[in-house]
């Protein structure tokens, strides 16, 4: 499937900014399930200073905001050819070893609720079926609901609140799998939805490593494994590692953010 994507991120400041730097992860990964036909990132109110590939294999651009700017707009757009591999990314490994993806982060510490939900997953003879069952139980315990959590909500908190969005679902799954000794990671990217083109956020799902097969994806929010409607952008141990944008700035200017995403065939 050939997907057309346009993703615009706009930062506004209530006063001129002396210095700000944005770390941008908005270039699709080159892996077996997708290939990049064309892709471009443009910046208004700043410029790309350099780019590199991090230890997760993510493509990172560093955007330096123009001194005195009150608005910065970063637009990523292009075409990606995707392939349905029934959720199996395979034996794709980079600099980060598998044991790294067994480590907790502040956002993915498994508390009593997650430990109770995950208990016994690793003991099942059919690991893939057990992980699909875990995904379904997470969605049942914390149905998709916007506004119940925010970008800083940790996995255990989201589960105890009983609601969340794709970021929360992915982090709960990652925390649960790791608590059973299974390497797991967070994936950020895009999803073509059948009922809309315009979206107000990127998408997120999780991957678990299964011996003999490699990495396998689980989209908890939709109860499926990623197919040709998904485009991978970045991976990491949690949402922060794979965030499309993150940065820092000097001064006391207040910031507001607007995100617009369009995904269509």
């Amino acid at each position: 499937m050939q997907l057309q994507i346009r993703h615009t991120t706009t930062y506004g400041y209530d006063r001129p900014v002396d210095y700000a730097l944005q770390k941008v992860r908005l270039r699709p990964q080159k892996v077996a399930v997708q290939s990049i036909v064309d892709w471009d990132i443009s910046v208004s109110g700043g410029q790309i200073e350099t780019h590199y590939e991090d230890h997760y294999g993510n493509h990172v651009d560093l955007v330096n905001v123009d001194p005195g700017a009150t608005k910065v707009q970063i637009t990523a757009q292009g075409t990606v050819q995707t392939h349905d591999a029934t959720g199996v990314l395979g034996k794709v490994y980079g600099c980060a070893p598998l044991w790294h993806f067994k480590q907790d982060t502040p956002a993915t510490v498994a508390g009593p609720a997650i430990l109770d939900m995950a208990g016994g997953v690793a003991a099942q003879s059919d690991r893939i079926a057990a992980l699909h069952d875990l995904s379904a139980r997470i969605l049942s315990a914390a149905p998709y609901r916007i506004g119940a959590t925010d970008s800083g909500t940790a996995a255990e908190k989201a589960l105890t609140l009983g609601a969340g969005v794709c970021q929360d679902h992915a982090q709960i799954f990652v925390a649960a799998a790791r608590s059973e000794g299974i390497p797991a990671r967070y994936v950020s990217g895009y999803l073509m939805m059948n009922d809309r083109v315009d979206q107000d956020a990127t998408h997120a799902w999780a991957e678990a490593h299964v011996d003999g097969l490699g990495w396998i994806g689980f989209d908890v929010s939709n109860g499926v494994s990623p197919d040709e409607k998904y485009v991978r952008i970045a991976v990491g141990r949690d949402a922060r590692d794979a965030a499309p944008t993150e940065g820092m700035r000097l001064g006391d200017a207040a910031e507001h953010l607007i995100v617009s995403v369009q995904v269509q065939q």
Side-chain angles (χ1 to χ4, degrees):
M1 181 178 289
Q2 197 165 93
L3 299 180
Q4 309 284 336
I5 300 165
R6 181 181 176 86
H7 178 180
T8 302
T9 305
T10 305
Y11 290 93
Y13 307 97
D14 65 350
R15 65 189 64 184
V17 175
D18 294 329
Y19 177 80
L21 186 70
Q22 292 290 338
K23 183 184 292 185
V24 178
R25 305 180 188 89
L26 287 175
R27 297 186 189 272
Q29 295 180 335
K30 295 179 181 179
V31 290
V33 296
Q34 65 187 38
S35 55
I36 295 89
V37 178
D38 60 78
W39 197 264
D40 178 68
I41 295 180
S42 60
V43 181
S44 172
Q47 58 184 323
I48 298 175
E49 292 289 346
T50 189
H51 59 87
Y52 62 92
E53 187 174 290
D54 68 14
H55 55 296
Y56 296 121
N58 303 323
H59 302 290
V60 183
D61 292 281
L62 293 182
V63 174
N64 192 6
V65 176
D66 293 338
T70 57
K71 178 181 177 181
V72 181
Q73 188 168 82
I74 304 168
T75 301
Q77 59 184 333
T79 306
V80 179
Q81 183 73 43
T82 61
H83 315 281
D84 185 4
T86 61
V88 180
L89 179 68
K91 299 176 183 180
V92 179
Y93 307 108
C95 297
L98 283 178
W99 59 257
H100 181 71
F101 296 105
K102 292 183 180 181
Q103 294 182 326
D104 292 333
T105 68
T108 59
V109 174
I114 290 178
L115 291 172
D116 181 62
M117 175 168 286
V121 168
Q124 300 298 312
S125 58
D126 189 334
R127 178 64 57 84
I128 296 175
L131 290 169
H132 277 296
D133 179 64
L134 172 63
S135 174
R137 285 187 283 117
I138 291 171
L139 186 58
S140 177
Y144 188 96
R145 189 168 80 239
I146 296 173
T149 58
D150 58 40
S151 61
T153 303
E156 179 74 9
K157 179 65 173 179
L159 184 58
T160 57
L161 286 171
V165 293
C166 59
Q167 172 178 308
D168 304 299
H169 292 152
Q171 290 193 148
I172 294 169
F173 183 98
V174 164
R178 287 181 190 155
S179 74
E180 288 286 288
I182 301 170
R185 63 188 185 183
Y186 183 101
V187 187
S188 65
Y190 303 108
L191 169 61
M192 188 190 76
M193 298 183 180
N194 295 327
D195 62 343
R196 74 196 70 174
V197 171
D198 295 309
Q199 304 173 32
D200 56 9
T202 55
H203 193 51
W205 58 97
E207 286 180 339
H209 188 271
V210 175
D211 291 342
L213 288 175
W215 292 105
I216 300 177
F218 299 86
D219 180 358
V220 177
S221 299
N222 290 296
V224 299
S225 284
D227 57 18
E228 72 275 7
K229 297 191 291 293
Y230 291 72
V231 173
R232 303 166 57 84
I233 292 292
V235 302
R237 288 188 299 169
D238 57 20
R240 182 175 180 179
D241 283 344
T245 60
E246 65 171 319
M248 55 84 66
R249 66 184 186 280
L250 300 179
D252 55 359
E255 175 186 271
H256 65 271
L257 172 66
I258 300 174
V259 175
S260 172
V261 177
Q262 295 178 322
V263 185
Q264 57 190 316
Q265 191 174 3

